[in-house]
Amino acid sequence: MHHPGGGARVMGGWGELSLAFAAFLASHAIPARPAVKARLHRALGRRGYLAAYVTLSLAMLTWLIVAAGRAPFVPLLPWGAWQAWVPNLVMPLACLLIAYGTAVPNPLSFGGAGNARFDPERPGIAGVTRHPLLWALGLWSAAHAVANPDLAHVLLFGGFAGFAALGTRIIDRRNRRLSGMAEWQRLAARTSNLPFAAMIAGRWRPRGRPSPVRALLALALWGALVWGHTPVIGVSPVPAPF
């Protein structure tokens, strides 16, 4: 049966999602352009720039997720109660990667900064993976794609998962080009892209205990995400029992 105005509602829903995607990409691409970044650094300072960049990114991400929820519902797979458990089991791991990934300089990932303070013999979290933040993004997105198997959310979270996976390879290739193969191999000798691959291969062993402060920060981040999920996203992340 044809419903008058149904096509407009569908296009409006997909239109908002497309607009949110475009705004999210622009909010990352434009401030990161060298000329724009330099101007913003002069106006805001380095910390002010980072704070503004993170705030804008989170705002655009929130809009993108909300827009996906408002898009027309097109189921791709049957949904089962077990799927809601996937993000709840995966997100603590993602929070650990974020907490430890932001603890130390890592010239092998975003921006290539921190070479002077990075010890290739003691790479820390980079020994687990060179790209902890991108892997956190990949885990978050893949887990939420499983929990939301409809077209809009699979496009959203699948896109982020693909971006994260491709991003690790792009950054590695860029750093090899900028640093030179010999220097990059020296810095990356005890690391791996795939989590724990360097440890399994015997190229890296953890030294000392992980920082308990960072573990507490990961726990706090996870708690904040659970607490804020319902008021911000509009859906409770707490799964129903089997």
Side-chain angles (χ1 to χ4, degrees):
M1 180 181 296
H2 175 71
H3 294 278
R9 286 195 298 271
V10 169
M11 290 305 296
W14 290 117
E16 182 187 5
L17 182 58
S18 300
L19 182 61
F21 257 120
F24 179 83
L25 294 175
S27 71
H28 283 70
I30 295 174
R33 292 180 65 86
V36 177
K37 185 176 181 179
R39 185 173 298 178
L40 291 174
H41 267 203
R42 288 193 297 269
L44 303 174
R46 182 176 178 275
R47 290 187 177 181
Y49 167 81
L50 289 174
Y53 188 81
V54 169
T55 301
L56 178 62
S57 298
L58 290 175
M60 292 297 100
L61 177 60
T62 300
W63 179 29
L64 187 53
I65 294 173
V66 171
R70 288 200 284 247
F73 182 73
V74 182
L76 299 178
L77 294 171
W79 188 85
W82 65 270
Q83 288 163 278
W85 284 92
V86 175
N88 284 271
L89 296 174
V90 169
M91 284 308 297
L93 300 177
C95 291
L96 285 170
L97 286 172
I98 293 170
Y100 285 99
T102 55
V104 294
N106 181 3
L108 300 169
S109 194
F110 294 111
N115 296 56
R117 296 171 56 196
F118 180 75
D119 182 0
E121 296 299 314
R122 301 171 66 96
I125 187 64
V128 177
T129 173
R130 285 191 292 272
H131 305 289
L133 300 183
L134 283 175
W135 273 97
L137 174 63
L139 288 172
W140 168 78
S141 52
H144 282 76
V146 172
N148 299 274
D150 62 277
L151 180 58
H153 286 96
V154 168
L155 287 174
L156 169 65
F157 294 120
F160 277 119
F163 168 82
L166 184 62
T168 63
R169 300 177 66 87
I170 291 175
I171 291 174
D172 281 351
R173 185 166 63 244
R174 182 195 64 191
N175 285 344
R176 283 195 295 266
R177 184 182 71 252
L178 294 177
S179 301
M181 182 60 73
E183 175 65 5
W184 188 85
Q185 288 179 337
R186 183 186 73 85
L187 293 172
R190 299 188 183 278
T191 73
S192 61
N193 181 8
L194 188 67
F196 296 106
M199 185 171 70
I200 294 171
R203 293 186 285 109
W204 172 74
R205 289 288 183 271
R207 300 182 183 182
R209 297 179 179 179
S211 167
V213 173
R214 287 287 159 175
L216 289 175
L217 287 175
L219 180 62
L221 175 59
W222 176 75
L225 291 173
V226 172
W227 176 81
H229 200 281
T230 300
V232 174
I233 306 302
V235 178
S236 173
V238 180
F242 289 112

